[in-house]
Amino acid sequence: MPKLCRTHCLASLPWFPPADGAPTGYVAEALAGIAERHGATRGQIALAWLLRRSLALCPTPGTGSPVHPAKDLGAAEIRLSAENMSRPEALAPA
């Protein structure tokens, strides 16, 4: 999807959290490991991953608490390595 969006100058708005908001299996393990190394939450890592994946992606996280937007904004400051970017591939938009 991001390649198609870039080609046609469109934005992709991923709004639904992976695995219905509760990543499981490999994705959860990958996110947890990366989050631990960065001192971040799994949600912040997922957002950072989406932000770095493509300029055509514009994540729209939801929130149930006033604390969440501040945490979400922190994702923009997280710098993921190429290895980190390749690990949670299951998060990639189809």
Side-chain angles (χ1 to χ4, degrees):
M1 180 68 81
K3 184 176 179 180
L4 177 68
C5 289
R6 283 192 309 271
T7 300
H8 296 285
C9 298
L10 301 170
S12 175
L13 304 170
W15 61 272
F16 196 70
D20 211 12
T24 59
Y26 172 75
V27 174
E29 290 176 26
L31 287 176
I34 296 167
E36 186 176 326
R37 286 191 295 281
H38 284 275
T41 67
R42 291 186 318 184
Q44 286 175 312
I45 296 302
L47 283 171
W49 188 85
L50 285 169
L51 289 168
R52 183 166 177 217
R53 181 160 165 75
S54 171
L55 293 175
L57 290 175
C58 182
T60 52
T63 184
S65 161
V67 175
H68 292 164
K71 285 185 178 184
D72 292 343
L73 288 173
E77 302 302 317
I78 297 171
R79 301 292 176 245
L80 299 173
S81 68
E83 178 187 0
N84 290 159
M85 288 300 295
S86 67
R87 290 186 73 196
E89 278 300 313
L91 294 174

